[in-house]
Amino acid sequence: MRILLTGATGLVGQGVLRVCLDDPEVVHVSALGRRASGQVDAKLEELLVADFADLAPVEDRLQPFDACLYCAGALPIGAEAEYRHVTVDLTLHVARAFAARNPAARFVYISGAHSNPDSAIMPLKVKGEAEAALAALPIRTIMLRTGGVQPVHGVRSPHPAMAALYTVAGPLMGLGLKLVPGLLTSTENVGMAMLQLLRMPDPPAIVENDAINALADAYRASSGSPSAQDSSAP
């Protein structure tokens, strides 16, 4: 598989990139972003742009791919207009450019639990708007509605305040993942679930948090990895 990945420097994207680079079926990963991922691997190519609104510098390298794993996004803070610009406008700009060049590929989007365009809660409403707009595109789309995401295997939030919070809360999240898999997942589970979805001939359009964890377990079983994630892993 050839993968286009966005958000490789973010918390979720770091974990997804790690899983992709470890998977023998993934032969190439292009990381589209504003900053280099910091990873060095023979499979990895960096596609750097100043703004997702202007993809002209990398247009000729947006094909051919089997899937786009869209992990880029913004923290749900600040003005609604700014959050919508990043979450809806920029996501759609990348998705349309990708779909035009890779019509048979899949676009897998990191959304969020309870996303709904009719929600009274701003981040859930905007994420729901993004889901609806993506689903209308002429390409196969899959929405992953993650709950809380535990960073594992050295993944750290790029936001200092969030990184400090995860340092304290991480072990508790690992316990919570085992007790309430419908509410919590991990960076590794998200990456494994994404690749498992790409293996499926007819994947679901919406994947809730508990299904993300189940897909990750299926991925481990099919690849011979340990059946249970070591959530205490650094």
Side-chain angles (χ1 to χ4, degrees):
M1 291 185 286
R2 291 177 56 85
I3 304 293
L4 179 67
L5 172 66
T6 72
T9 60
L11 184 139
V12 172
Q14 290 175 53
V16 173
L17 176 59
R18 181 181 185 277
V19 172
C20 287
L21 294 179
D22 284 346
D23 191 304
E25 293 184 19
V26 177
V27 297
H28 180 83
V29 179
S30 287
L32 174 65
R34 294 179 300 157
R35 298 180 301 277
S37 68
Q39 300 295 313
V40 178
D41 192 282
K43 295 182 182 181
L44 179 63
E45 176 188 22
E46 304 277 3
L47 303 182
L48 300 182
V49 293
D51 190 335
F52 276 12
D54 180 12
L55 300 175
V58 297
E59 279 183 347
D60 60 337
R61 290 186 282 169
L62 294 180
Q63 62 184 1
F65 291 105
D66 299 293
C68 176
L69 307 183
Y70 200 94
C71 304
L75 292 176
I77 56 177
E80 179 175 338
E82 182 178 349
Y83 184 68
R84 178 175 283 104
H85 174 67
V86 174
T87 304
V88 180
D89 299 341
L90 295 185
T91 301
L92 280 176
H93 185 70
V94 174
R96 287 177 178 134
F98 180 81
R101 294 163 177 80
N102 305 276
R106 295 176 180 182
F107 190 93
V108 188
Y109 176 63
I110 296 296
S111 185
H114 309 296
S115 295
N116 185 334
D118 297 321
S119 176
I121 302 173
M122 186 276 286
L124 305 185
K125 177 178 68 174
V126 175
K127 280 282 191 180
E129 292 171 2
E131 285 189 0
L134 289 171
L137 295 178
I139 191 172
R140 187 66 171 267
T141 56
I142 305 169
M143 319 298 171
L144 269 66
R145 291 180 174 171
T146 58
V149 181
Q150 178 202 19
V152 296
H153 302 304
V155 169
R156 288 180 59 83
S157 172
H159 306 284
M162 295 300 296
L165 177 62
Y166 281 119
T167 298
V168 175
L172 294 177
M173 294 181 74
L175 177 61
L177 194 159
K178 296 176 182 177
L179 297 176
V180 283
L183 300 179
L184 296 168
T185 187
S186 72
T187 51
E188 180 178 72
N189 279 11
V190 172
M192 290 182 171
M194 283 181 150
L195 293 189
Q196 187 68 9
L197 287 163
L198 297 185
R199 294 173 173 177
M200 297 171 65
D202 189 25
I206 302 291
V207 184
E208 302 290 354
N209 194 88
D210 55 349
I212 291 172
N213 292 328
L215 285 163
D217 285 342
Y219 176 93
R220 293 187 182 93
S222 65
S223 62
S225 298
S227 59
Q229 174 191 319
D230 176 8
S231 59
S232 65

